[in-house]
Amino acid sequence: MVAFGKKLKERSIQEWQGYYINYKLMKKKVNQYGRQLQGGNLERRQVLKDFSKMLDNQIEKVALFMLEQQGILASRLKRLRESHDALQEEPEISHIAYLKEGYRAVGQDLLKLLFFVEMNAIGVRKILKKFDKRFGYRFTNYYVKTRANHPYSELQQVYKHVGLGAVVGAVSRNLHELQNNQGSYLSIYDQPVLPLQDPVVDSIKAAVDRLTHSTNFLNFMAQHAFIMQQELPSPQDEEEAVEEDMRYHFMSLLLNLVNTFLYMVNTYIIVPTADDYSMSLGAAATVCGVVIGAMAVAQLFSSVYFSAWSNKSYFKPLIFSSIVLFIGNLLYALAFDFNSIAVLLIGRLFCGLGSARAVNRRYISDCVPLKIRMQASAGFVSASALGMACGPALAGLLQTRFKIYKLTFNQNTLPGWVMAIAWFMYLVWLAISFREPVLEPEESHSTSKDSNNSEAVQDGNLESDIKQPLLITSEEIEEQVEDEDDSEEASEESRAPVNSIGAAYRLLTPSVKVQLLIYFMLKYAMEILLSESSVVTTYYFGWSTSSVAIFLACLGLTVLPVNIVIGSYISNMFEDRQILLVSEIMVCVGILFSFNVLVPYTVPQYVCCGLIMFVSAEVLEGVNLSLLSRVMSSRLSRGTYNGGLLSTEAGTIARVIADVTITVAGYFGRDMLLNVTLLPSLVTCVVSIVATCFTYNSLY
């Protein structure tokens, strides 16, 4: 494990050594400012002025060098273009090969420049973070806002790589023209989805995707999957990318996405009829909360063991999941003929124990090549959204009743029978078509021991930091703190996954905890809305099962259109943290106006408020997970106790508590159910808004 300063020195391109930001100098300056402030030799205003000027100079050095290199690349491309034009008149195979090599050489140099920009961008972000942490300022927010929005901003060159896009386009387009498609009139502009077969173009595209911070629909959708990616690539990453290409199997990825879809259908297909089923077995209608929530309770445990199991295999967990879900749905369907609420709950518990979403996420993270991982992540979210809409819609179609021998088939039992058949068919398909990828060898015992030792050192540093004053009084202690900062940076930059839930919790910063609280809040509010919909609408409006199913299906169908609007337009106009706060407020507004107070409760009030709550929560989820992936430690990107598991557990706990709340609220009577269940949602939402306001400046 090494600090960023050492990493910058090791990975920097030697001939460009003098053009990188001087991270070591700036870090020493930060410590020097601390000593001078302690001694009263410097004012805070002067510190901000001097540091801003120094950082401006460093960024200017980087930006001017970038422009110089872009000019060199542009000149080379111009000469190649002249040769390319001459080739149109007298085509020669040898000349085509020469041009290809020329464009590839430019592409390789462009990759070097992109890596240079990325290293400097990370360096700027880290020194700003260190400055804020050392002095307790919110300087980063001020600096980025004033520099990035200025018309003559040099920071834009570093963070938005202004001008490099034209070079990337020229290399990509000309290499595409020189591929084995002579005679075609199509270019990459006419048909952007045409495959770019040259490895250089793929590498450039991957580098640009890593570097850019602009958001589009695909990125926004993929954030819902919360599949974390490494921040800084290395030569080892390139080797891993080749291994990922070898491990990738399209049919196996498709099977994971189908598993996601079927599980979401399985979750929501019973919602419109859960209250009727409970009453037919002699229980209260509000017991539907326990019936629906039983699946989430079991998922709390299944997420952990499936995440651990996926370290060794993907095929076996998916087989186990399918078998358990088949049995669970069979028990759910048979509970009616057994006239047993216990069998019904056991069936739902089995369904929760078969939740393999952790395996699905892990497969995409570890076995799908980086160049298509974003598309796969978006596919994961789309499959979830489609399943969420199809579940209630399918329940609305199963409005029939008949018997075969002693088995009853009606609107309550048919969801179980249909899903049991679906999981059996999936199991057969899985056994035939899934290909187990070659997994990486487990780390040696010594590596694990080193990781444990580093965690112990980190814990010691944390304890000593708490005891230290804000500003250090002696040079000797200052050097000690600098060493501790280096150790902390090294731990943060380490790629070793954590090996316990306690170690994962220690890596959670206040910003991460607030984001997990927001995730808890939105999942709680959504679960209350969906799970009690059949009871509430039947009591107030006399809706039938089909009406409830249509309402829930319409809510589910809003997911993709809303994400298209947010991902393609809104997120390019506003910062993520702004969208986050507004979405929280809109969820709060939807909850507030959903209460039944004084005036008679009406269908427009319920539908409009429910739509506001659901849509705002969906927007909030995407932005929340986007911010969470940025502020969460990179050590939580892999291993059993990863960021995806933590967010899944937070959401699952919220769903469990929401479903228990519905059942408990049933003891107050149906007339009080709506208000009693909405009150905790409102309180949680207000708390999350207040917490967001306190951590707003730390969200970037």
Side-chain angles (χ1 to χ4, degrees):
M1 295 187 294
V2 294
F4 176 77
K6 187 175 181 182
K7 183 182 289 187
L8 179 62
K9 184 177 180 180
E10 290 176 351
R11 297 189 181 181
S12 60
I13 302 167
Q14 292 302 317
E15 59 266 29
W16 295 352
Q17 192 78 43
Y19 300 101
Y20 286 86
I21 64 166
N22 197 332
Y23 182 81
K24 186 175 181 181
L25 171 65
M26 289 191 288
K27 194 171 80 168
K28 286 184 177 179
K29 273 289 187 181
V30 170
N31 295 325
Q32 181 183 339
Y33 291 146
R35 290 193 296 270
Q36 291 176 337
L37 280 173
Q38 180 64 35
N41 301 324
L42 202 60
E43 294 182 356
R44 291 194 172 193
R45 185 181 296 274
Q46 187 63 38
V47 169
L48 295 175
K49 180 181 178 182
D50 289 351
F51 185 72
S52 298
K53 183 178 179 180
M54 179 176 64
L55 191 53
D56 286 340
N57 291 338
Q58 293 290 324
I59 292 174
E60 181 182 82
K61 176 178 67 175
V62 173
L64 292 176
F65 180 73
M66 284 175 57
L67 291 172
E68 180 184 352
Q69 293 301 311
Q70 288 177 41
I72 294 172
L73 292 176
S75 298
R76 292 168 61 185
L77 286 171
K78 182 182 177 183
R79 289 193 294 271
L80 288 170
R81 181 73 257 176
E82 292 171 353
S83 301
H84 197 167
D85 291 340
L87 183 66
Q88 304 296 329
E89 301 176 1
E90 298 180 6
E92 293 183 13
I93 295 178
S94 60
H95 201 177
I96 292 175
Y98 167 78
L99 281 176
K100 282 185 179 180
E101 290 304 316
Y103 281 116
R104 288 194 187 106
V106 174
Q108 293 292 346
D109 288 341
L110 177 58
L111 276 173
K112 288 169 57 179
L113 185 58
L114 288 169
F115 188 73
F116 168 84
V117 176
E118 185 172 12
M119 290 291 288
N120 283 288
I122 294 173
V124 170
R125 181 178 59 80
K126 284 190 170 295
I127 198 62
L128 284 168
K129 179 181 176 183
K130 181 176 285 293
F131 187 89
D132 284 352
K133 180 181 177 182
R134 184 70 177 82
F135 299 106
Y137 295 164
R138 293 298 181 191
F139 176 70
T140 300
N141 187 38
Y142 164 78
Y143 186 85
V144 173
K145 184 183 295 184
T146 54
R147 268 62 177 178
N149 294 331
H150 197 277
Y152 307 129
S153 170
E154 292 170 328
L155 189 64
Q156 288 278 10
Q157 289 283 344
V158 178
Y159 276 98
K160 297 296 184 182
H161 47 86
V162 178
L164 284 176
V167 181
V168 172
V171 173
S172 303
R173 183 178 64 83
N174 285 286
L175 274 175
H176 178 73
E177 287 182 2
L178 292 170
Q179 290 295 344
N180 298 325
N181 62 341
Q182 281 81 4
S184 172
Y185 293 97
L186 293 176
S187 74
I188 62 171
Y189 304 118
D190 300 318
Q191 201 168 349
V193 296
L194 286 174
L196 301 174
Q197 300 174 355
D198 200 290
V200 173
V201 176
D202 288 337
S203 299
I204 291 172
K205 185 178 183 300
V208 171
D209 288 343
R210 284 196 310 264
L211 184 57
T212 185
H213 289 278
S214 59
T215 308
N216 55 29
F217 168 58
L218 196 59
N219 284 321
F220 189 82
M221 287 292 292
Q223 294 300 341
H224 283 66
F226 194 50
I227 296 168
M228 298 178 64
Q229 299 179 9
Q230 299 295 331
E231 180 181 71
L232 187 62
S234 65
Q236 183 181 358
D237 293 329
E238 300 296 333
E239 297 175 4
E240 291 177 357
V242 175
E243 294 176 4
E244 285 174 352
D245 286 338
M246 295 176 64
R247 287 185 292 177
Y248 173 62
H249 183 229
F250 173 75
M251 188 59 70
S252 299
L253 172 61
L254 181 61
L255 282 163
N256 273 277
L257 297 180
V258 171
N259 183 282
T260 299
F261 169 77
L262 288 177
Y263 186 79
M264 292 303 291
V265 172
N266 210 149
T267 301
Y268 290 100
I269 193 173
I270 72 156
V271 173
T273 58
D275 57 336
D276 288 338
Y277 206 166
S278 301
M279 293 174 65
S280 68
L281 298 179
T286 51
V287 174
C288 70
V290 174
V291 174
I292 296 170
M295 196 169 179
V297 171
Q299 191 178 345
L300 283 172
F301 304 97
S302 65
S303 296
V304 177
Y305 68 70
F306 271 120
S307 183
W309 201 351
S310 63
N311 290 326
K312 299 180 180 180
S313 173
Y314 296 100
F315 179 66
K316 292 177 182 177
L318 290 175
I319 288 287
F320 177 78
S321 166
S322 304
I323 294 173
V324 171
L325 281 158
F326 171 76
I327 295 172
N329 282 287
L330 207 58
L331 289 173
Y332 183 86
L334 292 172
F336 187 88
D337 293 308
F338 283 115
N339 193 28
S340 172
I341 192 72
V343 174
L344 185 71
L345 293 174
I346 291 171
R348 287 297 286 178
L349 285 170
F350 265 75
C351 290
L353 291 174
S355 171
R357 286 173 67 82
V359 180
N360 305 144
R361 278 195 179 103
R362 188 72 179 275
Y363 185 88
I364 294 173
S365 177
D366 291 354
C367 302
V368 175
L370 183 62
K371 59 188 177 182
I372 62 168
R373 192 173 299 162
M374 189 66 73
Q375 290 92 324
S377 302
F380 177 88
V381 177
S382 300
S384 299
L386 190 59
M388 185 178 180
C390 288
L394 188 58
L397 296 175
L398 301 176
Q399 302 299 303
T400 185
R401 182 183 178 89
F402 58 92
K403 293 193 71 170
I404 299 179
Y405 297 108
K406 295 182 179 181
L407 299 178
T408 303
F409 297 85
N410 57 28
Q411 65 174 8
N412 296 327
T413 62
L414 276 172
W417 290 115
V418 168
M419 292 312 303
I421 294 171
W423 283 113
F424 179 77
M425 295 173 63
Y426 175 81
L427 180 62
V428 174
W429 183 20
L430 182 71
I432 295 173
S433 302
F434 191 86
R435 187 175 74 188
E436 181 77 275
V438 179
L439 298 177
E440 298 175 0
E442 295 184 3
E443 296 180 354
S444 63
H445 175 72
S446 60
T447 305
S448 176
K449 186 175 180 180
D450 290 342
S451 176
N452 292 336
N453 289 340
S454 68
E455 289 171 10
V457 170
Q458 183 183 14
D459 295 341
N461 291 339
L462 183 59
E463 292 176 4
S464 63
D465 282 344
I466 295 173
K467 298 175 184 177
Q468 294 290 349
L470 178 62
L471 296 176
I472 308 304
T473 56
S474 71
E475 185 173 349
E476 185 176 51
I477 299 178
E478 176 62 34
E479 291 173 357
Q480 178 185 355
V481 172
E482 183 177 351
D483 292 338
E484 289 173 355
D485 285 344
D486 288 344
S487 176
E488 182 183 17
E489 278 193 20
S491 297
E492 290 177 356
E493 290 299 318
S494 170
R495 299 176 59 178
V498 294
N499 54 13
S500 70
I501 193 69
Y505 181 80
R506 287 194 293 271
L507 290 174
L508 302 183
T509 63
S511 297
V512 174
K513 292 176 182 177
V514 169
Q515 295 306 307
L516 289 175
L517 171 64
I518 295 172
Y519 193 69
F520 175 93
M521 178 275 292
L522 69 91
K523 286 297 182 183
Y524 182 91
M526 289 175 67
E527 189 71 10
I528 289 290
L529 172 66
L530 298 174
S531 295
E532 72 177 12
S533 58
S534 58
V535 180
V536 170
T537 54
T538 301
Y539 177 77
Y540 285 106
F541 318 126
W543 281 9
S544 64
T545 300
S546 298
S547 300
V548 178
I550 292 171
F551 171 68
L552 294 176
C554 290
L555 287 181
L557 289 173
T558 62
V559 174
L560 291 179
V562 168
N563 282 325
I564 290 174
V565 174
I566 298 296
S568 299
Y569 303 103
I570 305 299
S571 60
N572 291 324
M573 298 166 61
F574 302 98
E575 297 178 12
D576 280 356
R577 56 183 177 173
Q578 293 173 327
I579 302 174
L580 180 86
L581 187 56
V582 171
S583 299
E584 284 182 273
I585 294 172
M586 291 305 298
V587 171
C588 189
V589 169
I591 295 172
L592 197 59
F593 285 96
S594 293
F595 281 90
N596 179 24
V597 182
L598 300 179
V599 297
Y601 208 54
T602 62
V603 172
Q605 180 184 355
Y606 178 77
V607 171
C608 292
C609 292
L611 190 63
I612 291 172
M613 281 176 57
F614 187 83
V615 170
S616 301
E618 276 298 321
V619 173
L620 182 59
E621 182 177 3
V623 180
N624 168 252
L625 293 181
S626 172
L627 289 169
L628 194 57
S629 66
R630 297 181 199 173
V631 297
M632 189 172 280
S633 169
S634 60
R635 291 187 65 192
L636 295 172
S637 62
R638 287 178 178 270
T640 301
Y641 302 97
N642 53 65
L645 175 64
L646 294 179
S647 62
T648 299
E649 292 293 277
T652 305
I653 291 172
R655 290 171 53 205
V656 170
I657 296 175
D659 292 322
V660 171
T661 303
I662 294 172
T663 301
V664 172
Y667 289 101
F668 295 95
R670 287 200 189 187
D671 57 330
M672 295 293 293
L673 176 66
L674 182 67
N675 290 345
V676 171
T677 53
L678 285 177
L679 189 59
S681 299
L682 181 63
V683 172
T684 310
C685 189
V686 171
V687 170
S688 71
I689 291 173
V690 173
T692 301
C693 292
F694 276 108
T695 59
Y696 185 79
N697 288 330
S698 63
L699 302 174
Y700 301 109

